[in-house]
Amino acid sequence: MTPFSPRILATGLAVSGLAFGVPRTLHAQERPAIRQLGPVQATTTESLGQVANVRALSDGRLLINDVASRRVLLVDSAMKVLSVVADSTPSTANAYGPRTGSLIAYRGDSTLFVDAASLSMLVIDPAGKIARVMSVPRSQDAMMLAAGGLGGAYYHDGHLIYRGMPQMQMRMGPPSGGGGGVPQLPQQPDTMAIVRVNLQSRQLDTVGFVKIPKTNTNMSRSDDGMISVSIEVNPLPVVDEWAVTSKGDVALIRGRDYHVDWMNPAKQWRSSPKIPFDWKRLTDDDKVKLIDSVKAIRDRQAAANPGQGQQMAQAFSSAMGGGAAGGGGAPQVVMRFEMRGGGAGGPTQSPQVAPPQINYVSPSDLPDYQPPFFATSARPDADGNIWVRTIPTKPQPAGSVYDVINDKGEAVDRVLVPENRTIIGFAPGGVVFMAVRDSGAFRIERARVVK
């Protein structure tokens, strides 16, 4: 995760969806009862950093993408480490790379590992060995292919399907104040395309569009040359989710009224009915309390991590000095910065950037109904369903409740995942893999949905 990723900027509360004028019929429909996830069957013993995603193989083995330690591990069905597939040790031939990567299920039990820094994809064979190297289909999309936290990328029938990223160039304005110009910021889009590229022909087509979280960023330069950054965040934006099922259907989950638009592998579209949800209206007082609560959470995070602001400033400074925005993670958009000055052929210098100031939108800009799910809450399982982590509107047991949506767009189940656990992958037969933070490190647990 980059120091200035949208997840940090929105303090983990950037959400997907908005309901306007919710039909009365939705309130009358019953949702499935909440039930517990089955007991943990196995747990890793290896100390892990932050795990971005996993890839389950057909014989029970598991590839683990440990982005914090920059390594890929292969573990057996008992979650014992069998081998290190890729790591960041300079002496190894299986280098992970300087940025985070992502695992993509490929043909059979083979797997793609996307290395955005080298614009390449390592093909990991079923034995856990790097068999060959492929180039990414489009260099400008390498970061999105490696961004597991933003929906990731999926392979089906010779195609990679992923969320595209527009190339937004930001140039420095005319010199002013203490020298150098103020960055001229492009308008950030509030929609992104889901694209599909043929790995043989490299032909790309657009599947559809989804709404994404949007932040407004302003920059100014003082007389001493210091650049100030102000970021306005809406913690409750109107956005969508998306996923690709194990059958190859692309699902665009609409947060406005909680229904799914589907495209099958033959590029035929269909829409499913609205999914029942306990819509909760937000009063003006509720909106004020929400903004105040988000500010309080942000203040506590800043107090617990006093260096975070400086990390964000360094990231902006590095980007404006010619580096690619994003560092080791996945921002919402890629911005290229070009500095003027220093004479023709002269050196480019990174400007000094003050720690960004985080602001929030007016309470009146928040939706009138609490949305059904947060951003980056949808994951497809290995049995043709999509799991969506929902926002509780009524008292519920501790943990996270997921709507399990079948290929008809129906919520056929609601599963409670225990507290302090995040789903990071699935295997066939209702198997669920969860990341658990334990004393600063992570472990992975395997459980199964009880029928």
Side-chain angles (χ1 to χ4, degrees):
M1 181 180 296
T2 78
F4 59 100
S5 75
R7 185 172 298 177
I8 291 179
L9 297 183
T11 66
L13 293 175
V15 300
S16 173
L18 177 61
F20 289 87
V22 180
R24 294 174 182 267
T25 54
L26 278 185
H27 295 279
Q29 297 179 23
E30 292 187 3
R31 306 172 70 188
I34 299 173
R35 61 194 186 96
Q36 299 279 346
L37 185 66
V40 173
Q41 300 174 331
T43 304
T44 54
T45 57
E46 178 79 8
S47 178
L48 302 170
Q50 184 176 354
V51 178
N53 60 346
V54 297
R55 155 70 157 138
L57 304 181
S58 61
D59 60 358
R61 291 175 300 151
L62 187 71
L63 287 167
I64 300 172
N65 180 21
D66 184 349
V67 296
S69 303
R70 302 213 323 273
R71 59 180 180 166
V72 175
L73 302 176
L74 177 65
V75 301
D76 62 17
S77 58
M79 308 289 266
K80 306 291 185 181
V81 175
L82 295 173
S83 64
V84 178
V85 178
D87 62 21
S88 56
T89 304
S91 60
T92 182
N94 299 337
Y96 188 100
R99 299 178 185 170
T100 59
S102 185
L103 297 171
I104 302 173
Y106 194 41
R107 298 168 179 161
D109 269 350
S110 60
T111 306
L112 297 177
F113 175 74
V114 181
D115 179 8
S118 65
L119 305 180
S120 63
M121 299 186 295
L122 309 180
V123 181
I124 303 172
D125 68 18
K129 305 294 184 182
I130 297 176
R132 59 192 178 98
V133 180
M134 302 166 55
S135 62
V136 296
R138 301 204 321 161
S139 60
Q140 61 265 43
D141 292 339
M143 289 185 64
M144 291 308 298
L145 286 169
L150 296 178
Y154 304 88
Y155 172 83
H156 181 77
D157 193 26
H159 294 82
L160 278 180
I161 306 168
Y162 55 96
R163 205 183 83 177
M165 177 179 285
Q167 299 297 296
M168 300 177 62
Q169 290 198 355
M170 181 169 71
R171 298 178 179 272
M172 300 301 293
S176 63
V182 177
Q184 304 298 308
L185 294 171
Q187 183 70 22
Q188 180 184 332
D190 61 359
T191 60
M192 286 287 185
I194 305 301
V195 299
R196 185 177 71 163
V197 61
N198 187 300
L199 289 182
Q200 293 297 321
S201 66
R202 301 300 171 105
Q203 181 179 353
L204 181 140
D205 62 278
T206 299
V207 173
F209 292 86
V210 292
K211 294 187 71 65
I212 63 170
K214 181 179 179 180
T215 58
N216 296 317
T217 305
N218 295 300
M219 294 188 181
S220 61
R221 185 187 289 271
S222 62
D223 290 340
D224 61 2
M226 177 70 72
I227 289 181
S228 298
V229 181
S230 175
I231 303 172
E232 184 183 66
V233 176
N234 182 348
L236 219 57
V238 180
V239 295
D240 301 322
E241 269 291 76
W242 75 283
V244 179
T245 71
S246 57
K247 300 177 182 178
D249 289 339
V250 180
L252 307 182
I253 308 165
R254 305 303 184 183
R256 184 182 181 93
D257 59 0
Y258 202 14
H259 82 277
V260 184
D261 293 328
W262 304 86
M263 190 193 81
N264 65 20
K267 300 184 67 174
Q268 297 170 327
W269 281 96
R270 71 184 190 277
S271 292
S272 51
K274 297 174 183 177
I275 300 169
F277 184 72
D278 299 322
W279 298 99
K280 177 182 177 181
R281 186 174 182 85
L282 297 177
T283 66
D284 291 343
D285 287 344
D286 291 334
K287 296 177 183 181
V288 172
K289 291 177 181 178
L290 175 60
I291 293 294
D292 290 342
S293 176
V294 171
K295 290 178 180 178
I297 292 172
R298 180 70 192 181
D299 290 343
R300 289 197 295 270
Q301 289 182 341
N305 185 10
Q308 184 181 94
Q310 192 58 43
Q311 292 172 353
M312 295 169 65
Q314 291 172 354
F316 273 102
S317 179
S318 175
M320 287 187 286
Q332 290 290 338
V333 294
V334 167
M335 296 183 182
R336 293 179 178 172
F337 302 79
E338 299 179 6
M339 292 291 293
R340 296 177 181 175
T348 299
Q349 296 181 347
S350 297
Q352 294 297 310
V353 181
Q357 176 67 42
I358 308 299
N359 302 311
Y360 297 94
V361 299
S362 169
S364 62
D365 292 327
L366 297 181
D368 291 332
Y369 285 87
Q370 181 173 306
F373 50 80
F374 290 86
T376 66
S377 290
R379 283 186 177 271
D381 67 14
D383 300 307
N385 305 305
I386 299 173
W387 290 48
V388 178
R389 186 177 66 249
T390 56
I391 303 174
T393 57
K394 297 180 179 180
Q396 67 178 42
S400 300
V401 174
Y402 286 76
D403 280 354
V404 181
I405 303 172
N406 67 9
D407 59 2
K408 296 180 182 179
E410 303 166 336
V412 294
D413 206 352
R414 296 174 71 203
V415 179
L416 176 68
V417 172
E419 194 173 13
N420 196 34
R421 285 158 175 80
T422 302
I423 292 179
I424 56 173
F426 297 87
V431 174
V432 179
F433 296 99
M434 300 172 289
V436 187
R437 183 185 292 272
D438 185 11
S439 300
F442 282 84
R443 66 178 187 273
I444 295 176
E445 296 177 342
R446 186 182 71 235
R448 186 186 297 270
V449 178
V450 177
K451 299 297 184 182

